[in-house]
Amino acid sequence: MELLPFGVLPPYRPRKFLPQQFDLGDWKQIAPLFDQLETCYQELKSQAELERWLLDWSELSAALDEESSRRYIAMTCHTDNAEAEQAYLHFVEKIDPELKPRQFKLSQLYVAHPLREKLPKERYEVFDRDTKLHVELFRPESVALETEEAKLSQQYQKLSGSLTVQFRGEEKTLVQMARYLEETDRSLRQEAWELVAKRRLQEAEKFEDIFDKLVQLREQIAKNAGFSNYRDYAFRKLGRFDYTPEDCIRFHEAVEKEILPVVRELQAKRRSQLGVDTLRPWDSAVDPLNRPPLRPFGKVEQMTDRAQKIFDNLDRDLAEGFRRMQDLRLLDLANRKGKAPGGYQSTLAEARVPFIFMNAVGLQRDVETILHEAGHAFHALATREEDLYPYRGAPIEFCEVASMSMELLGNKYLEEFYSTPDANRARRTHLEGVMNIFPWIATVDAFQHWIYTHPGHTREQRKAAWLELMDCFGGDVDWRGYEEIRANLWHRQLHIFIHAFYYIEYGIAQLGALQVWANSKRDQTAALNDYKRALKLGGSRPLPELFQSAGCQFEFSRKTIEPLAKTVREELAKLPSS
Ligand SMILES: [Zn+2]
């Protein structure tokens, strides 16, 4: 049975270092290649030889990355296929743990090499600082702590994932309950929301227990690496060379001063459209005019064709890329039995082509997802010429500029899917979503800054800090009667538990995307040319330069946010709400 939707895809560059044929799922065949790189290292005599060595290492890393992606894709496309599952698990359990120390060893060797200093600075500075950091932060005494941290993260996921409620005689997961918040019957929404929120609240103690242990471990890991607090450690660990905790605090302030007024206006409008005195927590997802959901397409082929037309309208190169993806069957978009949930874009790193996975069912959300994932795919296609494997990927702060920009840019042509009134409704919903997420990002980020700069805090102090942030960023929502739920709301935010400090990236990227979009309103061709030029850089330059190439400022204070909030407000004013 053919498990992958695409056929044979040859390596983008013919293999020079790797054997033409070998089994990438067999550690016995992989290990000698690492041995060989370590042996060759001893004989590197010139800068050119060191560069060649880096490319050989890149070739190996890309082939292994692609193997892992192929197995992941096969499994998510066929969750009911035992063979696909086995193949994926084999890689995760047998290959990955062997790989990690060997890759780390090569990083160490690179950092120790005397010729490293001779490499052209402009070309290698990003790779060099990332690799050096990776090596420097490693502490053997933290390995066991990190394993413990991973186990606790898994406990959090298990606990969250296991929660169900009885709703109208049926057992439902919390994820399944989300759709009831879009129902026009207000009491039904309330019932669904309460069930979910109270179910989570029942586990509050367990969430707190897990979190206390996580904080303790993280503080120890930071100490081992010589940092006085985990915040400063996390900023290094996440490779944040180009912004500081103070920049993040300025972002929080800017969101409060510039975005919250827009959010409050939107909330006031929603209140009047819904005809309610106050907005309750279950009133935010429903269409405020009680209209049925938008129906952008029936069959998934229609979605693909219409998305193609949007790219045709936008830019010839991007359109060409998406057409190639169709030709090579690098899309698996329809929802069907036996597919994993959700959507993602993955890159086959040796063939250097992107793949998009989705579960489209005919909702506006699917249109947003295909535009978003296509943005990531365009990024992957743009870096095909880059031979240094680490440079074919950019930092998340910029990867999401590629994808979020595409949502905003593509929205201009939503008439490919809808009548003009429906297209405007979709645009409005999208822009409102963009505004509404900023205060939540600021809340989650500011909360983590507080947590890791207040060592030894009590649960009560933590709760008070959270509530203070909710007061600041929560907007005009009426929580009366649900105070405990509000005080524990952060328990549902997975990042706080399992990806500490990782969340503001989305806010930073959204600011970039809004700038690309604002530029396109002045000159669409120029904005798209900048966008493509920046994508092409992959991860080869620091963030401020990637943003600059895309025609954006890498800056997240009021100076940047104020004009963007204004543009969004003007755009919303232009879109009729009925
Ligand atoms: Zn994304």
Side-chain angles (χ1 to χ4, degrees), residues 315-328:
D315 180 88
R316 224 177 47 205
D317 295 333
L318 302 181
E320 177 56 29
F322 195 71
R323 196 164 292 117
R324 275 249 294 293
M325 290 185 72
Q326 291 194 59
D327 293 344
L328 292 172

Side-chain angles (χ1 to χ4, degrees), residues 372 376 400 403:
H372 181 99
H376 286 309
E400 294 298 321
S403 54

Side-chain angles (χ1 to χ4, degrees), residues 301-316 318-327 331 370-371 378 416-417:
E301 294 73 40
Q302 290 173 318
M303 179 183 82
T304 314
D305 290 346
R306 292 168 187 177
Q308 179 68 57
K309 288 207 180 93
I310 289 183
F311 303 132
D312 289 342
N313 279 314
L314 270 176
D315 180 88
R316 224 177 47 205
L318 302 181
E320 177 56 29
F322 195 71
R323 196 164 292 117
R324 275 249 294 293
M325 290 185 72
Q326 291 194 59
D327 293 344
L331 307 167
I370 187 66
L371 293 175
F378 296 147
E416 296 295 345
F417 283 95

Side-chain angles (χ1 to χ4, degrees), residues 372-373 376 396 399-400 403-404 407 506:
H372 181 99
E373 302 305 340
H376 286 309
I396 186 87
C399 286
E400 294 298 321
S403 54
M404 290 171 170
E407 292 181 46
Y506 293 98

